[in-house]
Amino acid sequence: MNLVWYRNDLRIHAHRALQEALQAEGPVTAVYFICEDQWDSHGVAPLRRWYVLHSLNELGEQLAQRGITLHVVDAGDFSQVPQKLASLVREHGVERIFCTREYPLNERRRDEAVAAEMDKQGVAIRGFDDSVLVPPTTLRTGKGTPYTVFSAYKKRWDVWLEQHFSIPGLPGSMAAKSAKFAGKAVVDKALDRVSVPASLTDLWTPGEQAAAQQLEYFVGRHLGQYRKHRDFPSLTATSSLSAALSAGTLSPASCFHAARQAMSDAGARDGAACWIGELAWRDFYRQIMAQYPRLSWGRAFRPETDLLEWDNDDDLFQAWCEGRTGYPLVDAAMRQLVATGWMHNRLRMVTAMFLSKHLWQDWRRGEDFFMQHLIDGDFAANNGGWQWSASTGTDAVPYFRVFNPVRQSQRFDAEGKFIAYWVPELKALDNKTIHEPWKQPLLVPDYPAPIVPHAGVRERVTESFKGAKQAYDQLQGVDA
DNA sequence: TGGTGGTTTGA
DNA sequence: CAAACCACC
């Protein structure tokens, strides 16, 4: 018997683990472990749990139609997985296990513990790197170190894919026989334990089929304009595929394949190339996560920045969470996040930079808050994005990026449409005042004044980072 | 995947 | 006098 162990790869298409299992000798079965304690300890958003569990139900049905039984097991946290897997293996006479690799430390330790347990029983495990396009340790600099600067990584990434990319097709040998989806009751019980309002779930459709449709729609309708439009949050211009990619209901290979096909149309080339760049960012942060375990310990990529002394003022943090900082674009973005479980990419940068630089809060607070609300909450991408914004991460530049929240607002929501939608208190303001409502205080009695001034932020941040660097160099015994 | 404050350019 | 351009942070 061959076992496909599903994790964040809840699909049938472009899935080497499933394909290989089908090509191996003997029948195939599948398993998923629900680890709610793991979700709890990482503050996984209820909406994301809902997405995952419903996608799991669809996967179970799809597998059953192809003669494969999906077992679903409540496992609490990762530490219980080896034993529970071992009993499943004994029960079904499993000889080989197939899975898609995951890279954060907890996941790798879980997999190592499982491998050790399975080794005792003579069961082989094979992992496949299908959650990325380029496997994490493939590309190295001339010195043999991981790439930590995106632009250099991207060049090699392009070349490697040019030479090596192939998309795994739908499994060919899947017979049209049927099996029973054994896990449905367990999934439904877990769904009963998820509390998420209909106002949120109404906005999303879980599952592999919806993800495939969304990809088709995006590529056909918006990909060509992606480069031009993607930074404007009032437009429907981005893919909205982040939830599907992070739960694995959609494969990055399908995305890459579709985008590359679209590039043969000259009008779509620019947009497609730009979007492929976003897939590269996704791989980039995953390979960073895989090769720098300290990120999984909650530490900064740049060690000296762990010496920064954040204010962590609770009132300011709360104002940020609730979208009442007095900076319209920041507030609109935060309200979008809480109301929809999603935030536009540019606004993730704007709000993250505002929390870390203007409010001088530990970026980990923001990272946690995002995880608690995002339907696409993905450890590597979220952590990478937060550290980039907080200037504690990769892609070092010799100065500190501090977005001006008013300038960003004027540039990317020039007409104030996005602000007007999410901050209706401001919807009557003209498209100049709406970015700086404090200039017309009488018109906006219900909207707060800026909770911190923009002036001086850059200087403070620069000084603090300089201080942290000096302190770190001293600790290291290096002359500064 | 910037911002700022300066200087130059050109209607 | 406002974009466009530039150096520096």
Side-chain angles (χ1 to χ4, degrees), chain A residues 2 17-26 28 66 68 171-174:
Chain A
N2 301 294
L18 175 59
Q19 273 201 322
E20 294 288 328
L22 286 162
Q23 279 164 19
E25 188 73 26
V28 177
R66 292 164 172 80
I68 298 170
S173 60
M174 285 177 121

Side-chain angles (χ1 to χ4, degrees), chain A residues 302-308 400 462-476 478-480:
Chain A
R302 293 170 59 182
E304 74 275 16
T305 63
D306 270 334
L307 297 178
L308 290 166
F400 297 93
T462 307
E463 281 309 303
S464 301
F465 273 76
K466 205 183 287 173
K469 174 78 174 129
Q470 277 169 6
Y472 183 79
D473 286 346
Q474 269 181 12
L475 282 175
Q476 299 291 308
V478 176
D479 261 354

Side-chain angles (χ1 to χ4, degrees), chain A residues 133-135 138-139 156-165:
Chain A
L133 287 159
V134 178
T138 307
L139 305 179
R156 295 285 311 282
W157 185 89
D158 283 332
V159 172
W160 193 89
L161 280 173
E162 196 58 50
Q163 293 166 351
H164 296 95
F165 178 73

